[in-house]
Amino acid sequence: MAIFAGFALYAAFALKLLLFSRVPGSERSINLIPFASIAKYAFSHSPGTERVAFATVVGNILIFVPLGVYASWLRHRAAAWLTMFTVASVSVAVEVIQGVFAVGASDIDDVIPHSTAPLHC
């Protein structure tokens, strides 16, 4: 029961952070070019840009780690690729929702870390 309660709290936090932290229609930005945002950060010579790039990539991974852990725990006999597919699918869904409802920046670069990170525990 505690695991389900913990997951519910995580899910509520993630939804608030990813979808409900901005006013609908307040921000619409869509990037479908892989690594474009990451390259922009990497080749920018603005002070602090490296820190923002690192925080963005690491933050995108960390926000979905609990989902990967929970999915692998829930389906303990599922293959690692299935857990990674589940996490990547949820990440894509979040990006699509952000784009459709203009509640954030829809960026393919936000999905790439989830599809390459080994989240199966």
Side-chain angles (χ1 to χ4, degrees), residues 64 67-91 114-115 117-121:
F64 285 99
L67 177 60
V69 170
Y70 183 76
S72 66
W73 176 80
L74 187 63
R75 294 183 273 159
H76 62 277
R77 293 195 176 152
W81 71 268
L82 187 57
T83 299
M84 291 190 319
F85 178 77
T86 301
V87 173
S89 296
V90 170
S91 179
H114 309 136
S115 59
L119 296 176
H120 187 71
C121 296

Side-chain angles (χ1 to χ4, degrees), residues 6-96:
F7 183 75
L9 288 173
Y10 154 74
F13 170 76
L15 286 172
K16 168 74 172 132
L17 180 69
L18 297 170
L19 299 177
F20 300 113
S21 62
R22 298 172 194 97
V23 176
S26 65
E27 181 182 346
R28 176 171 281 145
S29 166
I30 300 174
N31 171 38
L32 300 176
I33 302 169
F35 303 107
S37 297
I38 294 171
K40 181 176 80 174
Y41 286 133
F43 297 114
S44 174
H45 299 293
S46 300
T49 304
E50 295 87 16
R51 191 176 330 176
V52 171
F54 180 78
T56 300
V57 172
V58 171
N60 282 325
I61 292 171
L62 290 179
I63 193 70
F64 285 99
V65 165
L67 177 60
V69 170
Y70 183 76
S72 66
W73 176 80
L74 187 63
R75 294 183 273 159
H76 62 277
R77 293 195 176 152
W81 71 268
L82 187 57
T83 299
M84 291 190 319
F85 178 77
T86 301
V87 173
S89 296
V90 170
S91 179
V92 168
V94 166
E95 295 302 319
V96 168

